[in-house]
Amino acid sequence: MERSLDPELLELALGPHASLPSAESLAALLTQAELGILAREPIVSEELRSVGWYLHGIASSRVAQELYGIERQRAAFQVAGHIFDLYLNSGIFSESDRLKYCFAAQIAYLRGDLTPNATAIYHREFDRLETTSRLSDTGFIPDYERIAISLGVALLGFNVGYIFDVTRGIIRDANRLARIWEVDTLAATPFGAALGVVSGVRDIMSFLVYGRQDLLNRARGTLRNAITADASLQDHTSRWVAAHLLNIGDGLEQSSVWTVLPPEVPPAVRRAFVAGKPSILTLWPAQLEMLNIREPNIASPLSTQVRRLIISTPTSSGKTTISQLLITSHLATESTSVCYVAPTRSLCREVRRSLERRLRFLSRYVIDGLPDDSSWDTDFDTEPSVEVMTPERLSFLVRQNPSAVLARFGMFIFD
């Protein structure tokens, strides 16, 4: 809330104008809306929603960076995303508006470099999106616009299983209709734009899960055709979704685990993240910044040349994922184990559970929690693994045999 009311952010987002509210007036509108939600008397004014769509529109313009600069574009997306998020939180909307505002907020957060917010809004709203949960039982033709925007929402929420299940049925239904209507494809019908979104979403997700660059390239062509399809010019919703998905395609490619991780990282590590639970298909800005180091004398954190690394980022910015990347990369390329030190036994259990879902793709395992005073002589084999332990246990092992500790563990992570 504090950042959303930052006068500098609001002034930057609004820019020079004659008809919009001032930064102070916009802050007052935001405050009123937020306090109304907290008091369970939600009111999101029409003026506030209009500002949100204006900022979303100018930031989405093809020439936005050229006209306004990247900083203003980012600020406009961030403020617009927050306004739409407030509207969703208010609960005063129709079912179709819920989908529209959810998708618009996700796009705004992604392009405003607030990727975690885009994921969070999907998880918060998904249970409420009754239309989305029913799509697999809905025919394509009666609800083609709603299907298009629902799949856009699901893609930006990285719901892998849902997208593959639903798009498979829709494409099968569309092919059946094409045979009945004696046409090669529905692309040249009024349903072409929506079908283009369906196919594009499936191909983008296939790239994110399997690393298939050819499918991402095909998705780009499919989405371009959906935007310009003459027979679908009246389908504004599907074409709007297609345009935004096309615009964020480069961002999804550059943040994909198939693209970001260095070539020397084995494919099994990538599979551990895209197929593990929870599925991680793209990395967040703070994670990308750490991995995409371009300084000539600084190695990637995943390089074996790196001997020491301190990670300090805000809460919920993705440090756990970075630690799992370091662990899986080490176990996939080195013959030594990993020691993960966490301050409490409860946190140790949590870390062990999350790691187990990744390491099974590397045929590695996590050592169950052992008493602080147990030794390795009878409890351990020599296969590389991960032991998550308290500082007290590490202290005991070092006192018992420091040489054995250093021989067994090639990586130490202190949380």
Side-chain angles (χ1 to χ4, degrees):
M1 180 174 179
E2 181 179 350
R3 173 161 175 74
S4 68
L5 299 177
D6 181 353
E8 293 184 3
L9 176 69
L10 298 180
E11 286 182 7
L12 179 60
L14 292 168
H17 58 82
S19 57
L20 294 173
S22 65
E24 292 77 13
S25 297
L26 180 56
L29 291 171
L30 288 167
T31 301
Q32 180 186 28
E34 290 176 346
L35 292 177
I37 291 170
L38 291 174
R40 298 187 179 181
E41 297 178 356
I43 298 176
V44 178
S45 70
E46 187 59 39
E47 183 179 14
L48 187 58
R49 283 198 289 167
S50 297
V51 171
W53 283 116
Y54 171 81
L55 294 176
H56 200 280
I58 64 166
S60 301
S61 166
R62 289 183 180 179
V63 293
Q65 284 192 27
E66 183 180 331
L67 287 178
Y68 310 119
I70 191 170
E71 293 300 325
R72 184 186 174 192
Q73 183 187 39
R74 184 183 297 117
F77 270 128
Q78 290 179 356
V79 176
H82 183 65
I83 291 172
F84 298 152
D85 203 341
L86 285 174
Y87 183 65
L88 287 167
N89 266 304
S90 72
I92 49 175
F93 41 68
S94 66
E95 193 175 83
S96 59
D97 272 357
R98 184 186 296 135
L99 284 166
K100 179 175 68 175
Y101 280 91
C102 186
F103 182 75
Q106 288 174 295
I107 289 292
Y109 281 143
L110 282 170
R111 300 195 63 187
D113 286 344
L114 296 176
T115 306
N117 294 33
T119 307
I121 199 171
Y122 172 76
H123 289 301
R124 189 191 74 207
E125 293 296 321
F126 183 77
D127 290 339
R128 291 196 248 162
L129 291 177
E130 298 176 2
T131 51
T132 304
S133 62
R134 292 201 309 264
L135 277 181
S136 56
D137 300 321
T138 304
F140 174 59
I141 298 303
D143 257 342
Y144 62 95
E145 291 187 15
R146 187 170 47 150
I147 285 174
I149 196 168
S150 297
L151 285 172
V153 168
L155 174 67
L156 301 186
F158 303 113
N159 192 331
V160 179
Y162 171 78
I163 284 176
F164 283 144
D165 286 345
V166 172
T167 55
R168 185 187 303 112
I170 292 172
I171 292 172
R172 184 173 57 244
D173 190 24
N175 290 336
R176 179 182 59 82
L177 288 172
R179 289 192 298 270
I180 294 172
W181 295 345
E182 298 182 350
V183 295
D184 293 334
T185 173
L186 298 190
T189 71
F191 315 109
L195 186 60
V197 171
V198 172
S199 300
V201 164
R202 185 176 179 86
D203 281 347
I204 292 173
M205 185 57 79
S206 296
F207 161 74
L208 293 174
V209 173
Y210 303 111
R212 292 275 305 275
Q213 184 68 45
D214 59 319
L215 294 182
L216 179 61
N217 294 337
R218 186 172 74 176
R220 289 178 171 131
T222 302
L223 292 171
R224 288 191 190 97
N225 291 336
I227 296 167
T228 59
D230 290 338
S232 302
L233 291 180
Q234 299 304 312
D235 184 0
H236 303 296
T237 299
S238 300
R239 293 169 61 229
W240 176 62
V241 173
H244 278 298
L245 294 183
L246 181 62
N247 282 337
I248 67 168
D250 289 344
L252 291 176
E253 179 182 9
Q254 293 163 10
S255 61
S256 162
V257 296
W258 297 98
T259 305
V260 171
L261 301 186
E264 59 269 23
V265 174
V269 173
R270 293 170 169 82
R271 286 195 296 271
F273 284 85
V274 299
K277 301 297 183 183
S279 177
I280 295 177
L281 306 179
T282 62
L283 299 184
W284 292 350
Q287 299 162 341
L288 293 171
E289 183 178 356
M290 195 188 81
L291 292 175
N292 288 329
I293 294 175
R294 294 292 181 262
E295 296 294 332
N297 298 321
I298 301 179
S300 164
L302 299 180
S303 170
T304 55
Q305 301 176 32
V306 174
R307 309 303 299 169
R308 299 174 184 84
L309 178 67
I310 296 175
I311 303 174
S312 177
T313 62
T315 301
S316 299
S317 60
K319 290 188 290 292
T320 298
T321 298
I322 290 296
S323 70
Q324 291 181 351
L325 278 170
L326 293 168
I327 291 169
T328 52
S329 296
H330 179 88
L331 292 178
T333 57
E334 304 294 329
S335 59
T336 52
S337 295
V338 176
C339 174
Y340 193 115
V341 182
T344 64
R345 290 184 178 277
S346 61
L347 184 56
C348 285
R349 287 192 294 271
E350 182 180 331
V351 171
R352 278 195 292 271
R353 285 194 296 270
S354 65
L355 280 172
E356 285 169 350
R357 304 185 189 110
R358 307 272 178 227
L359 297 186
R360 65 188 183 90
F361 293 91
L362 305 175
S363 298
R364 293 291 186 262
Y365 58 92
V366 183
I367 298 295
D368 288 336
L370 296 171
D372 289 344
D373 58 353
S374 63
S375 67
W376 288 331
D377 293 341
T378 58
D379 294 318
F380 286 89
D381 58 32
T382 58
E383 184 179 349
S385 58
V386 179
E387 185 185 353
V388 185
M389 63 180 72
T390 62
E392 291 77 14
R393 173 159 174 74
L394 178 59
S395 178
F396 168 80
L397 294 175
V398 170
R399 289 196 306 270
Q400 290 292 308
N401 193 339
S403 298
V405 171
L406 294 177
R408 179 173 181 79
F409 296 122
M411 175 180 286
F412 292 84
I413 295 181
F414 296 88
D415 186 347

